[in-house]
Amino acid sequence: MTDVEAVPGAPRERAQALRSQLHHHAHRYYVLDAPEIPDAEYDRLFQELQALEAQYPALRTPDSPTQRVGGKLLEGFAKVRHTVPMLSIRTETDIEASGARNFDARVRRELALAADAAPVEYVAELKFDGLALNLRYEAGALVQAATRGDGEVGEDVTQNIRTIGQIPLRLPADAPPVLEVRGEVYMRRDDFERLNELQREKIAQGAKHEKTFVNPRNAAAGAVRQLDPAIARQRPLSFYAYGWGEIQGGPDFQTHFEVLQTLKAWGFPVSERVQVARGAEDLVAYHRAVGQARDQLPFDIDGVVYKVNALALQQQLGFVTREPRWAVAHKFPAQEQVTTVQAIDVFVGRTGKLTPVAKLQPVFVGGVTVTNATLHNEDEARRKDVRVGDQVIVRRAGDVIPEVVSVVPGQRTHEAPVFTMPSHCPVCGSQAVREEGEADYRCTGGLFCGAQRKQSLLHFAQRRAMDIEGLGEKLVDQVVDAGIIRTLPDLYRLGLANLSALDRMGEKSAQNLLAGLEQSKATTLPRFLFALGIRHVGEATARDLARHFGTLDAVMHANVDQLLQVPDVGPVVAESLHTFFAQAHNREVVEQLRACGVHWPEGEPVATASLPLTGKTVVLTGTLPTLSRDEAKALLEAAGAKVAGSVSKKTHYVVAGAEAGSKLDKARELGVPVLDEDGLRALLETPTAL
Ligand code: IVH
């Protein structure tokens, strides 16, 4: 009997199963750049196998994935033996500060530092989620770019890498004759979204061999390891330098930080967030600060890296197997996890948009417990072919809504039907329609639909619409759930009696709400039009409509052609308005609101060309001394100006207050006139004088 046979059947079989799963997933990840499961899931399987092998060492076969570091190589690229091996890095996964403190304690112990010795100096960096590259320069010219591969031998991807604008092809004269720069090639999130958008279009047009990418890292890996450089060139890649390999000649560097600064001077992108840190507490603070900023970064990171700064100390610390003792990666919670779909529900939004949502077995991902993930729309749900009972990869990156990335292949053992969108609104039963050229289904129930009721009430009550003090989300939920309010006019029929019947509603807050409602009755036509929540009618359109038609009746009775006369109103908006007011129940709501006392000054239509600032575009930035942003905007718009969000050559004025930022810089750069609040007032009074 061999050793392996001495191991009980269950663990032996489990180890066998884990090995074959890990082999499969390693191939998908390293060779095909098309993983089927998230890294965190791979790590879990890997650790389970490691634990089994620790318990039964006979299971530790030479071909076990635990005995191999790094990836296999794809046929098709020339192999490159690294002159200095590309090491991996030890990982701490503790969410808490202990990751940094453990590392610091280990370093101090290994350097035999006394407890009262000065803090060790570190460099703290981002851990970019892309793939490692070695760039070799000889006599100042890029001669070779190679992937990490298994750490000893990588792939020659020079042709593809040459197309990355951020990577210098030539170095300045003071660079050493032989220089290897190491860093991470990655794809920015916005570039990734655009690329996937493009891929989806190609697929929609029938391209057979195209695919979308599951995340920026895989898209980057796919581009770098693309056998056709012409395709690689179209993939938007970026690069950050964080280390080096062989160097011959050049300065006598003392610290890691000094090398990074020098690399920057030689033209390599080095992250602005690289920081020198003294002792564990600085590292803890860095981990926390970066963790908070993670969502705002334009690219994915999966943690931070701490490195001992002094190169002499790095040498003294040395390596264990293939990991340096002087560096550690401190990871953040994973942004992708596997879980099970328990149901697929359809959510109805304020505008009546139907969104398929996967109800999930709760899973901790991206730092929160996720129970719902969007499937976006019918086409996406079909493309991903998500079915009830499936194991899926869920991604939550940043503050974006959690989404189902893909189904884990080969897991479906059950019979489940293909998902189809319902033909009727799941909330009110009205017909659901998908407009030509649109991805979404919409409920046609308008102000009638229960799902749209809460949200249309909230929209109606918001500050920029009817501005009803005291009517927030909680209260809307309560009054709708209690059945006190079914339609908008019911709001103005509220009395103390039915309000005080509500849970936790004191007499004081009831009175406040009633006062808020009373006050809101005196409004303006643009606010009222906007408040109705007509699809495609935002504040600006509502204002244009009011200005053009002068009265609500004129807007309500306008036909599509007449609506198209309004500046900036196109066929989609005109159609939407016309359909809205063609519904008897919508006209009824409007009449009832008026009957309840909602009123506004009605005027004659104003020819927009006659307003003093018609045709002028103004951008607001910073804090003005007395006017709020909304007030300044309202004044400008009332004078006919368009208030835009960003400065361009087409901007006529920038109004800047305290702490104005990049918009002010842009205005100066483009020579756009900049006004302060007084200047703004002068402009409003005598626009021609300026
Ligand atoms: S240093 C000897 N610094 O993480 C240390 N690596 O195994 C060598 N990575 O795939 C790595 N950001 O590509 C280092 N600021 C950073 C990094 C970083 C990302 C990646 C690297 C490698 C893995 C480390």
Side-chain angles (χ1 to χ4, degrees):
M1 202 160 82
T2 64
D3 290 353
V4 177
E5 280 158 5
V7 177
R12 196 171 63 207
E13 277 158 32
R14 181 67 189 150
Q16 178 58 38
L18 286 168
R19 270 201 295 271
S20 79
Q21 279 182 46
L22 285 164
H23 276 307
H24 170 78
H25 292 305
H27 180 76
R28 301 281 318 184
Y29 181 97
Y30 289 113
V31 182
L32 304 179
D33 293 323
E36 293 168 345
I37 56 170
D39 296 2
E41 183 67 8
Y42 183 87
D43 292 348
R44 202 186 58 68
L45 297 172
F46 194 90
Q47 281 156 12
E48 187 184 340
L49 181 59
Q50 272 182 325
L52 274 177
E53 289 176 349
Q55 197 179 350
Y56 305 103
L59 292 176
R60 198 174 284 145
T61 54
D63 69 336
S64 172
T66 59
Q67 302 307 299
R68 201 165 57 97
V69 192
K72 258 218 221 117
L73 306 178
L74 187 68
E75 294 301 322
F77 286 108
K79 310 285 174 277
V80 175
R81 179 163 289 278
H82 299 301
T83 47
V84 179
M86 291 182 80
L87 301 170
S88 54
I89 197 167
R90 185 192 156 101
T91 299
E92 298 273 355
T93 41
D94 289 274
I95 301 166
E96 296 304 317
S98 57
R101 294 197 185 115
N102 291 345
F103 171 60
D104 180 58
R106 257 197 326 272
V107 166
R108 295 181 69 88
R109 195 170 55 243
E110 277 151 11
L111 291 174
L113 294 180
D116 58 354
V120 175
E121 199 171 88
Y122 298 101
V123 173
E125 301 175 8
L126 304 181
K127 186 169 190 307
F128 309 104
D129 201 4
L131 74 163
L133 270 191
N134 184 64
L135 305 172
R136 186 174 174 90
Y137 293 81
E138 290 176 7
L142 176 67
V143 292
Q144 189 177 66
T147 61
R148 176 164 176 267
D150 63 6
E152 300 287 340
V153 177
E155 295 155 328
D156 185 335
V157 289
T158 317
Q159 290 314 318
N160 293 344
I161 291 310
R162 277 186 196 285
T163 64
I164 303 177
Q166 287 185 326
I167 293 183
L169 297 176
R170 289 215 60 88
L171 300 182
D174 62 334
V178 172
L179 172 69
E180 287 184 358
V181 173
R182 290 180 178 172
E184 196 87 346
V185 56
Y186 66 95
M187 194 176 286
R188 290 169 52 102
R189 276 188 215 133
D190 52 357
D191 286 333
F192 166 74
E193 295 299 340
R194 265 197 295 274
L195 173 63
N196 259 359
E197 194 53 49
L198 220 83
Q199 293 299 101
R200 271 194 285 272
E201 274 168 30
K202 286 187 192 162
I203 295 166
Q205 285 160 12
K208 288 269 177 304
H209 302 290
E210 300 291 349
K211 58 166 190 173
T212 54
F213 298 93
V214 296
N215 58 38
R217 206 239 356 261
N218 287 293
V224 168
R225 306 177 71 232
Q226 168 62 243
L227 288 169
D228 180 352
I231 296 179
R233 194 168 320 128
Q234 296 163 7
R235 305 273 163 88
L237 295 172
S238 304
F239 180 80
Y240 271 127
Y242 57 65
W244 62 95
E246 187 182 0
I247 304 185
Q248 287 177 24
D252 183 18
F253 293 117
Q254 302 298 313
T255 65
H256 178 80
F257 190 70
E258 197 190 323
V259 182
L260 293 187
Q261 295 310 105
T262 312
L263 290 179
K264 197 167 169 179
W266 287 338
F268 294 92
V270 174
S271 167
E272 293 293 326
R273 289 185 185 258
V274 172
Q275 249 175 45
V276 175
R278 285 170 56 81
E281 292 319 301
D282 275 9
L283 297 179
V284 172
Y286 184 82
H287 185 262
R288 189 178 309 125
V290 172
Q292 279 163 5
R294 183 187 192 188
D295 296 351
Q296 277 91 54
L297 294 174
F299 46 82
D300 283 357
I301 58 172
D302 55 354
V304 293
V305 180
Y306 313 134
K307 299 173 183 174
V308 170
N309 194 17
L311 301 185
L313 293 185
Q314 286 191 4
Q315 265 216 308
Q316 198 180 324
L317 285 158
F319 306 89
V320 246
T321 54
R322 309 181 69 176
E323 295 170 350
R325 286 202 191 87
W326 47 263
V328 77
H330 193 178
K331 289 226 185 175
F332 293 134
Q335 291 179 322
E336 287 183 1
Q337 290 291 356
V338 171
T339 188
T340 309
V341 176
Q342 295 174 326
I344 301 177
D345 286 356
V346 173
F347 172 83
V348 188
R350 177 185 73 78
T351 58
K353 177 180 155 186
L354 271 53
T355 305
V357 175
K359 296 275 157 192
L360 306 169
Q361 171 101 47
V363 62
F364 189 73
V365 52
V368 300
T369 299
V370 167
T371 51
N372 293 321
T374 180
L375 290 163
H376 298 292
N377 56 47
E378 183 182 51
D379 293 349
E380 281 287 295
R382 286 274 177 82
R383 192 175 62 72
K384 291 173 182 164
D385 190 22
V386 178
R387 305 191 195 182
V388 175
D390 280 352
Q391 298 248 65
V392 291
I393 300 175
V394 176
R395 178 175 169 87
R396 179 185 176 273
D399 39 18
V400 294
I401 310 167
E403 64 163 351
V404 172
V405 179
S406 59
V407 172
V408 177
Q411 304 272 336
R412 196 177 284 152
T413 52
H414 51 283
E415 282 296 313
V418 174
F419 171 75
T420 48
M421 279 302 256
S423 60
H424 288 81
C425 171
V427 175
C428 74
S430 304
Q431 205 191 339
V433 293
R434 181 173 173 177
E435 283 170 38
E436 172 112 16
E438 293 257 323
D440 297 318
Y441 275 78
R442 280 174 198 286
C443 162
T444 53
L447 297 174
F448 258 19
C449 175
Q452 294 169 76
R453 191 176 296 153
K454 278 185 186 175
Q455 304 202 47
S456 59
L457 276 169
L458 275 175
H459 176 80
F460 186 81
Q462 69 174 294
R463 201 166 48 83
R464 295 178 300 143
M466 298 299 284
D467 194 14
I468 304 173
E469 285 264 341
L471 189 61
E473 201 157 342
K474 277 217 187 81
L475 197 51
V476 165
D477 279 351
Q478 276 189 308
V479 290
V480 172
D481 293 344
I484 302 176
I485 289 188
R486 298 179 55 81
T487 67
L488 293 177
D490 289 345
L491 264 179
Y492 293 102
R493 300 181 188 123
L494 282 174
L496 267 186
N498 46 18
L499 277 179
S500 43
L502 290 174
D503 235 19
R504 283 189 303 275
M505 169 67 94
E507 174 150 346
K508 184 90 182 109
S509 21
Q511 254 155 6
N512 283 346
L513 175 62
L514 292 177
L517 279 163
E518 198 52 41
Q519 250 176 20
S520 75
K521 286 181 184 172
T523 185
T524 67
L525 181 53
R527 278 177 178 269
F528 183 75
L529 276 171
F530 172 61
L532 292 176
I534 306 165
R535 184 157 155 70
H536 302 301
V537 179
E539 276 179 287
T541 305
R543 197 186 52 244
D544 292 345
L545 287 166
R547 194 175 279 157
H548 183 89
F549 289 103
T551 67
L552 181 66
D553 286 330
V555 181
M556 284 174 70
H557 295 121
N559 60 31
V560 169
D561 281 340
Q562 289 163 332
L563 289 164
L564 284 169
Q565 301 300 308
V566 182
D568 288 337
V569 168
V572 176
V573 183
E575 199 56 59
S576 166
L577 273 158
H578 187 71
T579 316
F580 182 90
F581 287 118
Q583 311 294 311
H585 60 250
N586 290 337
R587 288 198 306 271
E588 178 68 24
V589 165
V590 169
E591 280 327 305
Q592 287 183 21
L593 284 169
R594 280 171 145 177
C596 290
V598 174
H599 65 280
W600 53 87
E602 291 206 297
E604 287 298 300
V606 182
T608 35
S610 69
L611 287 167
L613 292 179
T614 298
K616 300 280 188 244
T617 303
V618 182
V619 173
L620 297 166
T621 178
T623 313
L624 296 174
T626 69
L627 288 173
S628 73
R629 180 71 63 103
D630 282 344
E631 286 164 345
K633 186 167 179 242
L635 287 173
L636 281 161
E637 286 175 346
K642 194 172 149 206
V643 177
S646 63
V647 181
S648 74
K649 275 185 284 192
K650 293 189 184 135
T651 310
H652 293 90
Y653 301 101
V654 167
V655 178
E659 271 149 51
S662 59
K663 289 179 195 172
L664 180 56
D665 299 339
K666 189 83 188 277
R668 295 203 172 116
E669 191 184 312
L670 295 174
V672 175
V674 177
L675 309 174
D676 59 8
E677 185 174 313
D678 289 342
L680 169 65
R681 290 190 191 278
L683 178 71
L684 290 165
E685 278 155 27
T686 45
T688 45
L690 283 159

